């Protein structure tokens, strides 16, 4: 019976026919009752023919207007705010027609006072029937929680995301999840579409026990990692499976939320998820219609940067990397094919100054995002000269070519290890920051650096390593029980990089807010718990050059926040003064190259001395 009634309500032609009938009845009841009350008080007779003609005029006009595209949207649910707005707009058009017909055509079958009362009553009745329709519709279509394979779900979050996913769950009779309770720390409502609101996070365990729930859904797309981790811990302690909706950034690319978007928690949800709001209009003007180069385009940050830049309509996006396989994967991810036959894919090494000069001469780039680097700390401790050649001399080559060929914006991607560095990686990246600042001072152009910490899921990072160790039965190796690191997802980091590039000033170092640092051993333990395996954690000791705790701002740096609350600005330093010699240099002599040479020689000397 329930299925047949739900099917009946779901038939479009019958549904709209019933709604039009109810609108007609609303006009009849409103005008008829108001007229009858007024006329009977005055002990007069009701002019039934003209009253019926007036009701027919109101009803037919309402039905006709409801068919117009301006007031008829098949995607608007009956009883929704959009539908209520349509009804109000139609009523505002029909009411003057009813009044005109009553007073000037039909010899006033409805007295003036009754007309003024009947019109708003008709509006209330039309809205009321739609609301009632909506309640009945959803009750008939509500999934059956006794159906085999279904899981009773507690939904946490009564905001827009929670309401949207609740509607989707209640419409989907085949969903494996059946919502049985709504919780929210704000206590903003008593129920939603018949699902009771039963408290806050403190009530999760009690509600789960009372309603025999099996799943907790965190229905807050804007939730940060801290909130998700807290709710995950509460949910798992209550014996619940924990699910989550995509982040705000993910939702923007998905459209309307639906049941298929409910997923299990990932490391990104628990460690690096944050609500990142950026000014897309400002970022768009930064790159729109311009020729943009990304170095290190095949890397984790570089590839995501290319994907996001590609959506901002640059005149042309050039992607440079020395790894041809990485370029193959990048083109495949962006275009769905990888023929490698387009001129915007560039195989080159930033160590090769002549090759860079040739590329800048040929393509005339306007904006450069420099992400190419060697980044593995231990390897660079063992081979410091390689770090110098790529991270410092390579950056110098790139900056030098950019200056010679008129690049007006240059964004150097740096690392938190450049803040008070203790490693070759940190020192070489700090030198790249200083070279960028030197270039800004030499040219007055917007050459700046963006500094941030670890990104989740990058190649060779801690999470893939831990997962691989767990898959092999362990042990997981952690350097120190107290070691901490900053984490952020790659898409979020890139969005902030773009924002920083749009608002930064010449020579600045832009430092991204990475949230609170996370203990690596906690990450390892969480992954072990999720795997269900018995895996040991072994401490191996800090490696040469490795810090126990990373910092984002050096001791000698003073930061300030301006346009964006998650981006700190600090002035870069050169710590090299060779201005007297530059004045005597031959034309074309590069301050940047000389700084790089002097800094690199000193760095390599210091690194070798430290190793001895």
């Amino acid at each position: 019976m329930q299925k047949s009634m739900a099917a009946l309500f779901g038939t479009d032609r019958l549904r709209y026919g019933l709604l039009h009938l109810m609108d007609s009845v609303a006009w009849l009841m409103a005008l008829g009752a108001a007229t009858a009350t007024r006329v009977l008080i005055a002990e007069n007779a009701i002019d039934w023919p003209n009253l019926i003609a007036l009701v027919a005029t109101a009803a037919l006009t309402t039905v006709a207007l409801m068919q117009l595209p301006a007031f008829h949207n098949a995607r608007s649910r009956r009883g929704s705010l959009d539908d209520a707005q349509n009804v109000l707009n139609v009523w505002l058009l029909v009411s003057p027609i009813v009044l005109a017909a009553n007073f000037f055509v039909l010899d006033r079958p409805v007295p003036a006072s009754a007309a003024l009362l009947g019109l708003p009553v008709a509006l209330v009745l039309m809205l009321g029937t739609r609301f009632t329709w909506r309640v009945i519709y959803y009750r008939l279509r509500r999934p059956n929680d006794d159906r085999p394979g279904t899981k009773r779900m507690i939904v946490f979050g009564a905001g827009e995301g929670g309401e949207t996913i609740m509607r989707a769950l209640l419409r989907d009779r085949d969903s494996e999840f059946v919502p049985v309770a709504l919780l929210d720390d704000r206590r903003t409502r008593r129920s939603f579409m018949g699902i009771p609101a039963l408290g806050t996070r403190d009530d999760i365990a009690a509600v789960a026990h009372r309603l025999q729930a099996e799943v907790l859904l965190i229905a807050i797309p804007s939730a940060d990692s801290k909130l998700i981790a807290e709710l995950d811990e509460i949910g798992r302690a209550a014996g619940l499976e924990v699910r989550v909706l995509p982040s705000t950034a993910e939702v923007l690319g998905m459209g309307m939320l639906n049941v298929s978007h409910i997923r299990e928690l990932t490391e990104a949800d628990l460690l690096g998820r944050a609500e990142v709001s950026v000014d897309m209009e400002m970022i768009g003007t930064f790159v729109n219609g311009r020729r943009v180069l990304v170095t290190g385009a095949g890397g984790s940050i570089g590839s995501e940067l290319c994907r996001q830049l590609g959506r901002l309509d640059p005149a042309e996006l050039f992607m440079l990397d020395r790894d041809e396989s990485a370029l193959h994967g990048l083109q495949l991810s962006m275009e769905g094919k990888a023929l490698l036959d387009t001129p915007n894919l560039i195989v080159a090494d930033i160590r090769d100054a002549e090759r860079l000069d040739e590329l800048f001469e040929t393509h005339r780039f306007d904006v450069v995002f420099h992400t190419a680097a060697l980044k593995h700390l231990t390897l660079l401790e063992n081979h410091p000269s390689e770090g110098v050649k790529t991270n410092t001399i390579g950056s110098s080559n790139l900056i030098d070519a950019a200056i010679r060929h008129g690049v007006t914006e240059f964004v150097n991607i740096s690392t938190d290890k450049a803040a008070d560095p203790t490693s070759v990686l940190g020192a070489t990246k700090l030198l790249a920051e200083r070279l960028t600042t030197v270039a800004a001072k030499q040219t007055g152009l917007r050459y700046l650096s963006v500094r941030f910490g670890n990104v989740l899921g990058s190649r060779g990072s801690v999470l893939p390593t831990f997962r691989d160790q767990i898959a092999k039965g362990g042990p997981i190796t952690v350097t120190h029980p107290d070691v901490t690191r900053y984490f952020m997802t790659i898409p979020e980091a890139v969005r902030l990089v773009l924002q920083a590039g749009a608002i930064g000033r010449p020579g600045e170092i832009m430092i991204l807010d990475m949230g609170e640092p996370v203990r690596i051993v906690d990450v390892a333990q969480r992954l072990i718990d999720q795997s269900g395996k018995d895996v040991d954690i072994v401490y191996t000791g800090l490696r040469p050059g490795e810090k126990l705790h990373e910092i984002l701002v050096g001791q000698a740096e003073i930061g300030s926040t301006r346009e964006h609350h998650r981006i700190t600005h600090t002035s870069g330093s050169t710590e090299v003064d060779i201005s007297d010699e530059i004045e005597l240099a031959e034309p074309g002599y590069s301050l940047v190259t000389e700084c790089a040479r002097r800094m690199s020689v000193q760095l390599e000397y210091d690194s070798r001395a430290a190793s001895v």
Side-chain angles (χ1 to χ4, degrees), residues 314-327:
E316 193 158 6
L317 176 61
F318 296 89
M319 297 168 282
L320 182 151
D321 204 293
R322 67 176 182 177
D323 184 345
E324 59 180 353
S325 297
L327 288 176

Side-chain angles (χ1 to χ4, degrees), residues 438-453:
V438 168
K441 291 182 178 180
Q442 182 185 13
T443 63
L445 297 173
R446 289 201 328 120
Y447 283 48
L448 55 96
S449 297
V450 179
R451 184 193 295 172
F452 53 92

Side-chain angles (χ1 to χ4, degrees), residues 122-141:
L123 175 63
V124 171
L125 289 174
M126 285 190 287
L127 292 175
T129 55
R130 280 165 166 74
F131 176 77
T132 304
W133 177 284
R134 183 180 181 84
V135 172
I136 295 173
Y137 175 81
Y138 280 115
R139 287 191 179 276
L140 290 176
R141 287 188 58 86

Side-chain angles (χ1 to χ4, degrees), residues 353-364:
E354 291 184 6
R355 170 73 167 141
L356 289 179
D357 201 59
E358 170 192 318
L359 292 170
F360 276 75
E361 175 68 30
T362 301
H363 298 295
R364 296 293 175 182

